[in-house]
């Protein structure tokens, strides 16, 4: 679909009109059930022949975007196939279509802090349960390494990073069916720094960046850090970013970069199809727009196979792939990496400027663990656990939360996205929950335009317990109260 | 002197003229021995009465800036008191007076990398001899901490940083006679990140920053990272930045910030007087210009007392003080901090955006060491060692290096700044030395305007050995060859 906009043969007038109308619909100008302008109105308004408009409307009807009702005209249909079936399932998002400045970091920081406070039940935590991490093992390796004098120098740790760790990371990709060039890897302070440096390498303050909606706040932080603007693209709860709207945005304004999470997106948890990954890369390649792929959850799939990366479809070096060990192995070591494609040199330089080096000791501890210990075994264990607990959490929410609540269907990762009745203010719910010793992540954290004020994100990585069960029921009660 | 520019009472014409002439002299337009324009020429050129010009020249003479020679006019005197005495001592720098874009990081990175290669003698290293670090102790603490599950969470490490470490840092300042507010401290990834975030908090791309000349490349990196411009202020080898020129620059152009290293400047090694620290802070306060104080060497003094900080003279929150443990305790842990004065909130936010957290494990390991072990004892030991080796290195260089070589007189720290005969290209010398298995730091690393191409920096922190002695003699021979 997206490609057609730029296909070799000239776009016919009626096709252009059909696309324009579909985009306005997807942007939420017309909602499902709305009547779109009559053939006559449209032909006058667009200065097009009646025939052209009719052909456009027929095309839209054939694609299931609109339906004609005798004697009354054309009406918008429910676009999101699959969502009608289950009342509990989320619809696609419809963010406002203009770019906005980003300033979410204060809200996020205060939320993360509250998670740390005393014994709050961490349903709002962005981190997986640390008790599932092989911390002791990693640290025994760290201790072992630390007694080798040579590692206390700093030069080994200089960008791109410690050679042993880079080798281990490259090996890991190979085991997952992706072959990468070890010389492309740049070690960073978690994926946070990787994403920051990649965005800095491709754009400058004031530039506009296209993001999913809702989007992981790490993406918004990177945009905020650079003083850039974010434009939120409608994103389907299972199918991901709307490429029709993205194509329209690329066609009509200057976009410095696109930031996506193709696998197990935070907060929606979807995995986009390989076909769509290819389409996304092709579309951005047509416009020569770099895309930053946040892959921190790729190892946490619920299916049988490791998901493919956007990177694997990239032929032009336009995909800047970022990942880390913080979600799978240890959040305390702050080790991430970037595969910056054609921007490798800039990113390496920016890493050097930004933090000089990443602790050699931390890099080597993880390299030793990856080389000598059971990373895959550990991952299999937590994948199984997360998959079970995803279902548990989803079932609990659907059972106890107020009428009209909808939940995501995570294909991996460890967070659930919950849409509450419109009346619920998730910031207020967050406060009430906190007073009850429970943290949740309010929806505003996931948008530059303050959308999702009636959404929350719940973490299901923590070993299921009566305490967690009680916490979920308490939040459900509080939500019901807010909904009244 | 500087203050007079902005003193309450109106500046008299002859005072203004005297200052203008002194500034042009200090900027190197007139060199010592040069004849300055005659009273008549000046009175015509400036449209001033003969009397005014004569009063200005008398004022300059009384200040020892110029001297009158019967029948021949007024001549510029050698400005740098104390430098005449010893042929081996450095003069004040005279950088070009325009700001320049900064792009030194590639040169620095490649140099640092070469230091890591095989068994090169690390005379070019920016790091102290790691064998002097209490690495085992720190790591035993790290291991101890790592077995406490709670530290594997991440929220404790969130900005501003781990409370225990912050307490220990505040205690350390107190022991050094400076009382700081623990609530001002923000933990960073080494001083590198502290300096970066402080600069980002006070300026934007395109802004101009005043720096010492030569200046530590970490400062230049921060400017390069932000896409800012650097203006290099003449800097005396013992007395530091020329406040007359700085005042003139502040008066005549928009300066976003000033970056200095008042104690044991890298590469010059000077410590500016407390009087001058006060003057510098007062001057910048008059123009409301923030100053970033790089204090990473403060603990490495050769005198009897811990040096005072710029921060201690700050009443307006304009001093952003940055330091780390990398030069005194462990470079492998990458722990630094900032005291950002009135910019604290921005810096805390930028830390969160830039790298999210600093490894909690690393923070706690150092906190434990500071609390339970002999930091002061360790410091006394390395201070004594560095002081001895500073003299050794200086003596060796003055004895073996070619005629016309001049050396700095470090008051602390562990680097010596060496001016070679003008014909010597330090980049070529660096290459030749490397071929002989020796690294040195070429002078170009310390300037945005490619000055100091006949200077090198030598590291004397490594325990003195015949190998190092041979290395110094080899570099001396190579320098002599380059000088021919």
């Amino acid at each position: 679909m997206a490609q057609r906009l730029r296909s070799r043969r000239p776009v016919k007038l009626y096709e252009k009109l059909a696309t324009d109308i579909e985009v306005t619909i997807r942007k939420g100008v017309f909602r499902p059930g709305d009547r779109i302008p009559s053939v006559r109105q449209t032909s006058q308004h667009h200065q097009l022949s009646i025939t052209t408009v009719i052909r456009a409307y027929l095309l839209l009807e054939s694609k299931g975007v609109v339906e004609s009702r005798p004697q009354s005209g054309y009406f918008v249909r429910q676009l999101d196939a699959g969502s009608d079936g289950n009342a509990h399932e989320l619809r696609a998002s419809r963010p406002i279509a203009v770019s906005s400045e980003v300033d979410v970091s204060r809200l996020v920081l205060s939320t993360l802090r509250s998670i740390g406070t005393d014994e709050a039940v961490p349903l709002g935590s962005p981190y997986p349960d640390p008790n599932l991490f092989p911390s002791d093992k990693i640290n025994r390796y760290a201790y072992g390494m630390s007694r080798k004098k040579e590692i206390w120098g700093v030069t080994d740790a200089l960008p791109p990073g410690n050679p042993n760790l880079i080798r281990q990371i490259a090996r890991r990709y190979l085991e997952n069916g992706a072959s990468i060039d070890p010389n492309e890897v740049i070690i960073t302070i978690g994926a946070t720094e990787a994403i920051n440096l990649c965005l800095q390498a491709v754009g400058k303050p004031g530039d506009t960046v296209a993001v999913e909606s809702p989007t992981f706040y790490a993406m918004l932080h990177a945009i905020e850090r650079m003083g850039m603007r974010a434009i939120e693209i409608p994103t389907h709860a299972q199918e991901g970013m709307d490429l029709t709207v993205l194509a329209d945005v690329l066609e009509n304004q200057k976009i410095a970069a696109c930031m996506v999470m193709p696998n197990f997106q935070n907060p929606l948890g979807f995995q986009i199809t390989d076909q769509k990954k290819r389409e996304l890369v092709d579309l951005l390649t047509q416009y020569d727009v770099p895309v930053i792929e946040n892959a921190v959850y790729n190892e946490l799939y619920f299916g049988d196979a490791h998901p493919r990366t956007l990177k694997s479809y990239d032929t032009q070096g336009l995909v800047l792939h970022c990942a880390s060990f913080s979600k799978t192995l240890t959040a305390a070591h702050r080790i991430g990496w970037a595969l910056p494609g054609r921007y490798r040199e800039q990113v390496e330089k920016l890493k050097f400027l930004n933090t000089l080096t990443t602790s050699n000791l931390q890099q080597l501890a993880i390299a030793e663990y990856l080389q000598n210990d059971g990373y895959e075994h550990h991952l299999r264990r937590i994948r199984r656990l997360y998959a079970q607990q995803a279902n548990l959490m989803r079932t609990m929410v659907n059972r106890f939360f107020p009428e009209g609540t909808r939940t995501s269907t995570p294909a991996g990762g460890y967070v659930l996205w919950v849409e509450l009745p419109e009346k619920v203010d998730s910031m207020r719910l967050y406060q009430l929950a906190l007073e009850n010793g429970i943290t949740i992540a309010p929806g505003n954290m996931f948008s530059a335009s303050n959308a999702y004020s009636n959404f929350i994100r719940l973490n299901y990585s923590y070993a299921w317990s009566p305490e967690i069960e009680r916490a979920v029921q308490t939040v459900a009660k509080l939500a019901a109260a807010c909904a009244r």
Side-chain angles (χ1 to χ4, degrees), chain A:
Chain A
M1 169 61 235
Q3 277 71 345
R4 207 178 291 160
L5 277 178
R6 271 257 175 145
S7 56
R8 306 284 161 271
R9 70 170 177 77
V11 177
K12 297 237 172 59
L13 275 177
Y14 76 92
E15 292 175 326
K16 176 76 172 61
L17 175 60
T19 308
D20 292 348
I21 294 169
E22 182 173 356
V23 167
T24 54
I25 290 169
R26 287 178 183 272
K27 282 181 180 170
V29 178
F30 299 109
R31 298 267 170 168
D34 288 354
R35 182 172 178 285
I36 64 171
S38 72
V39 170
R40 188 167 308 285
Q41 291 168 318
T42 306
S43 97
Q44 285 162 357
H45 181 251
H46 289 267
Q47 314 264 306
L48 293 168
S49 72
I50 296 285
T51 344
T52 307
V53 178
I54 290 175
R55 291 188 65 182
Y57 280 25
L58 290 175
L59 175 58
L60 287 170
E61 189 169 17
S62 71
K63 291 173 56 199
V65 177
V66 299
E67 61 191 354
S68 67
R69 296 185 194 158
Q71 277 79 45
S72 32
Y74 287 87
F75 293 78
V76 178
R77 289 186 52 192
Q78 173 57 264
L79 290 177
D80 312 318
S83 299
D84 297 320
N86 181 342
H88 290 313
E89 277 193 355
L90 284 167
R91 293 189 229 78
S93 67
R94 302 217 184 287
I96 53 163
V98 297
S99 74
S100 24
E101 284 184 356
V102 180
D103 182 18
V104 293
S105 60
R106 283 185 201 294
L107 170 61
V108 176
L109 179 52
S110 62
T111 314
L112 294 190
R113 280 205 186 112
S114 70
I115 294 161
T117 51
D118 20 70
E119 291 314 306
V121 183
L123 299 181
S125 174
Y127 306 109
D129 180 354
N131 297 307
L132 300 172
F133 286 155
S135 317
D136 299 350
K137 286 180 174 178
I138 294 167
N139 219 63
R140 239 172 282 123
Y141 288 116
Y143 190 56
M145 295 311 302
S146 68
R147 290 153 74 197
K148 304 190 176 146
K149 272 267 172 282
E150 62 272 22
I151 80 106
W152 287 90
V154 180
T155 46
D156 268 12
L158 283 171
N162 185 282
N164 303 8
L165 179 58
I166 289 174
R167 245 193 319 281
Q168 292 306 317
I169 288 172
R171 212 200 66 204
R172 184 69 204 157
Y173 275 89
L174 216 59
E175 290 168 353
N176 290 330
S179 87
I180 63 156
D181 177 359
N183 298 316
E184 191 183 339
V185 179
I186 297 185
I187 304 296
T188 56
I189 310 288
T192 306
E193 190 184 34
I195 293 165
N196 281 332
L197 303 183
C198 287
L199 187 60
Q200 189 168 359
V202 302
K204 55 183 189 329
D207 285 351
T208 299
V209 179
V211 297
E212 292 152 328
S213 183
T215 185
F216 182 34
Y217 50 74
M219 312 290 216
L220 296 175
H221 286 169
I223 296 169
E224 182 177 347
R225 169 181 174 271
M226 283 298 293
M228 294 178 174
R229 301 174 66 80
I231 180 158
E232 300 180 53
I233 308 297
T235 302
H236 188 281
Q238 283 93 53
E239 294 155 26
M241 192 183 265
D242 187 324
L243 296 192
T244 314
V245 176
L246 178 61
D248 178 68
V249 167
L250 290 167
E251 185 67 29
N252 296 307
Q253 55 182 290
K254 175 93 194 64
I255 297 297
C258 180
M259 298 178 100
V260 293
M261 225 161 165
N263 299 309
F264 324 126
Q265 195 249 16
N266 183 345
L268 286 164
F270 61 73
Q271 169 180 4
I272 68 175
T273 64
D274 291 350
Q275 171 57 22
K276 187 159 185 177
K277 285 170 189 163
R278 185 191 303 281
E279 282 177 22
L280 179 57
V281 173
D282 290 348
L283 175 61
L284 291 161
T285 305
Q286 286 171 39
Y287 291 87
D288 200 43
V289 170
V291 54
I292 294 169
E293 173 182 31
N294 184 339
V296 293
Y297 300 110
N298 280 22
E299 295 273 23
L300 303 178
Y301 52 89
F302 297 162
D304 323 326
H306 193 281
R308 281 195 69 166
T309 60
L310 267 199
K311 181 95 185 157
S312 65
Y313 295 98
D314 183 25
T315 56
Q316 305 302 310
L318 274 173
V319 176
L320 298 89
H321 175 97
C322 302
S324 85
F325 292 110
S326 302
K327 307 292 190 290
T328 56
L329 194 56
T330 162
H333 281 65
R334 311 292 299 117
I335 301 289
W337 63 91
L339 295 165
R342 69 164 80 148
Y343 303 93
R344 187 198 175 283
E345 250 210 78
Q346 289 104 298
V347 170
E348 178 180 74
K349 175 179 160 178
L350 287 169
K351 162 61 187 179
F352 183 58
L353 291 177
N354 198 48
T355 50
L356 197 61
T357 65
T358 303
S359 166
N360 207 17
L361 185 56
Q362 309 273 57
Q363 291 188 65
L364 279 163
I366 291 182
E368 288 285 303
Y369 172 86
L370 293 175
Q371 187 163 7
N372 308 318
D373 225 300
Y375 188 39
E376 184 54 41
H377 173 80
H378 158 70
L379 288 172
R380 269 200 299 273
R381 179 166 157 265
I382 60 177
R383 282 180 203 130
R384 219 173 15 244
L385 222 63
Y386 293 168
Q388 293 162 0
Q389 292 171 186
N391 287 329
L392 260 169
M393 182 64 84
R394 201 156 180 267
T395 316
M396 294 274 294
V397 170
N398 292 336
R399 180 180 313 144
F400 295 110
F401 273 58
E403 181 65 30
T405 299
R406 293 162 177 270
T407 56
S408 59
T409 315
Y414 50 81
V415 294
L416 187 73
W417 185 237
V418 181
E419 177 179 11
L420 300 162
E422 291 218 350
K423 278 184 66 182
V424 179
D425 170 4
S426 63
M427 282 308 297
R428 176 147 174 272
L429 181 58
Y430 160 75
Q431 287 301 342
L432 293 170
L434 207 53
E435 287 159 21
N436 287 263
I438 305 160
T439 65
I440 59 174
N444 316 49
M445 283 165 58
F446 304 88
S447 160
S449 56
N450 263 314
Y452 310 111
S453 57
N454 62 316
F455 289 69
I456 60 172
R457 189 194 64 183
L458 299 176
N459 179 321
Y460 53 74
S461 70
Y462 286 77
W464 203 259
S465 68
E467 188 198 16
I468 289 180
E469 204 153 324
R470 268 194 308 279
V472 175
Q473 293 182 31
T474 306
V475 177
K477 281 201 203 70
L478 297 169
C482 294
R484 276 191 215 96

